[in-house]
């Protein structure tokens, strides 16, 4: 299984600012995923990031709001832009395991927007 | 209607009890069914992974899928306080299709 770290683990931000979340994996992986987990709601996929190509966003999520970088096979960043209190959530990155259905998750970034 | 539905709980059981966690799903195309365990302030970890209908056992855990009724179950035998966590069911139709998660059921095993 992959070991995944995320930075920061938590942050409190002001409305209108942006935060970049980093995700580091201890092995090379093709696919990385970014999820949002809001209280009482299911894990929601924001986008899938493949190295060397543009991220693929799910319905309801746009690149201007959640730009993603994937510069190599072990690292990705998610930026939450122009934040509002509705963006307060836990953001998780994950990577594909031996199959697309098996995912390994990072510990998450707990974001609070005031 | 959500594609994967779960009772959020919380579910409290005494140590040693058999726990039954359940999900229903609506998408007939779903073929792969997963259970993740998430401890507080941690990311989810894959617990069980099954394909199509049937049972799969791994130690104290048994995953069961009934595609005819679109029902997914996770049974935990001899539950331990360390099993206290939120359990997420998940599913997809295979290939590179998005994995859809339930909201999770919070389980507390009381010593």
């Amino acid at each position: 299984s992959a070991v995944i770290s995320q930075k920061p683990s938590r942050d409190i931000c002001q409305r209108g600012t942006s935060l970049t979340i980093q995700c580091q994996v201890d092995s090379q992986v093709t696919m990385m995923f970014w999820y949002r987990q809001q209280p009482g709601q299911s894990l929601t996929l924001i986008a899938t990031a493949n190295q060397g190509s543009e991220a693929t966003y799910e319905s309801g999520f746009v690149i201007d709001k959640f730009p993603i970088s994937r510069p190599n096979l072990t690292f990705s960043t998610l930026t939450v832009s122009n934040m509002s209190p509705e963006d307060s959530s836990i953001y998780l990155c994950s990577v594909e395991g031996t199959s697309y259905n098996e995912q390994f998750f990072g510990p998450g970034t707990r974001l609070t927007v005031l | 209607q959500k594609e994967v539905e779960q009772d959020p709980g919380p579910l409290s059981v005494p140590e040693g009890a058999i726990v039954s966690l359940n999900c229903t799903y609506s998408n007939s195309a779903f073929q792969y069914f997963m259970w993740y365990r998430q401890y507080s302030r941690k990311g989810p970890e894959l617990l069980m992974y099954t394909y199509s209908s049937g049972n799969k056992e791994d130690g104290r855990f048994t995953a069961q899928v009934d595609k005819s009724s679109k029902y997914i179950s996770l049974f935990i035998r001899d539950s331990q306080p360390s099993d206290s966590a939120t359990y997420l069911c998940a599913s997809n139709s295979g290939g590179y299709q998005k994995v859809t998660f339930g909201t999770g059921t919070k389980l507390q095993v009381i010593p």
Side-chain angles (χ1 to χ4, degrees), chain A residues 3-73:
Chain A
V3 177
I4 303 164
S5 59
Q6 284 185 236
K7 289 182 182 179
S9 58
R10 58 172 56 222
D11 208 341
I12 300 173
C13 301
Q14 295 298 319
R15 179 195 299 260
T17 62
S18 298
L19 176 72
T20 295
I21 302 168
Q22 299 179 6
C23 180
Q24 179 76 52
V25 190
D26 69 341
S27 57
Q28 294 184 336
V29 294
T30 303
M31 289 188 173
M32 295 180 78
F33 308 92
W34 286 99
Y35 287 86
R36 184 172 71 183
Q37 188 175 34
Q38 295 179 312
Q41 298 188 27
S42 57
L43 273 171
T44 303
L45 181 65
I46 297 171
T48 302
N50 289 342
Q51 193 269 334
S53 63
E54 294 283 332
T56 302
Y57 289 83
E58 295 298 312
S59 176
F61 298 96
V62 295
I63 188 170
D64 290 346
K65 176 67 176 177
F66 298 101
I68 289 171
S69 77
R70 183 78 201 275
N72 58 52
L73 291 173

Side-chain angles (χ1 to χ4, degrees), chain B residues 3-59:
Chain B
E3 286 192 294
V4 178
E5 303 244 24
Q6 249 183 300
D7 185 332
L11 178 63
S12 291
V13 301
E15 182 176 353
I18 296 174
V19 176
S20 173
L21 301 167
N22 307 296
C23 289
T24 58
Y25 65 95
S26 59
N27 190 335
S28 298
F30 284 165
Q31 296 282 344
Y32 295 86
F33 304 93
M34 290 73 73
W35 283 96
Y36 285 82
R37 177 174 63 194
Q38 186 174 21
Y39 291 113
S40 180
R41 301 185 182 276
K42 301 286 187 183
E45 57 176 324
L46 183 64
L47 202 56
M48 300 282 285
Y49 168 34
T50 57
Y51 169 70
S52 195
S53 283
N55 292 359
K56 184 174 183 179
E57 189 173 318
D58 185 0

Side-chain angles (χ1 to χ4, degrees), chain B residues 51-98:
Chain B
Y51 169 70
S52 195
S53 283
N55 292 359
K56 184 174 183 179
E57 189 173 318
D58 185 0
R60 296 185 295 110
F61 299 89
T62 300
Q64 189 174 80
V65 177
D66 182 347
K67 291 190 71 181
S68 64
S69 59
K70 296 188 177 67
Y71 203 77
I72 314 164
S73 299
L74 178 70
F75 299 97
I76 307 174
R77 291 183 298 280
D78 186 26
S79 56
Q80 302 295 310
S82 59
D83 295 327
S84 298
T86 296
Y87 290 81
L88 308 166
C89 61
S91 185
N92 82 343
S93 54
Y96 291 98
Q97 297 303 307
K98 178 180 75 171

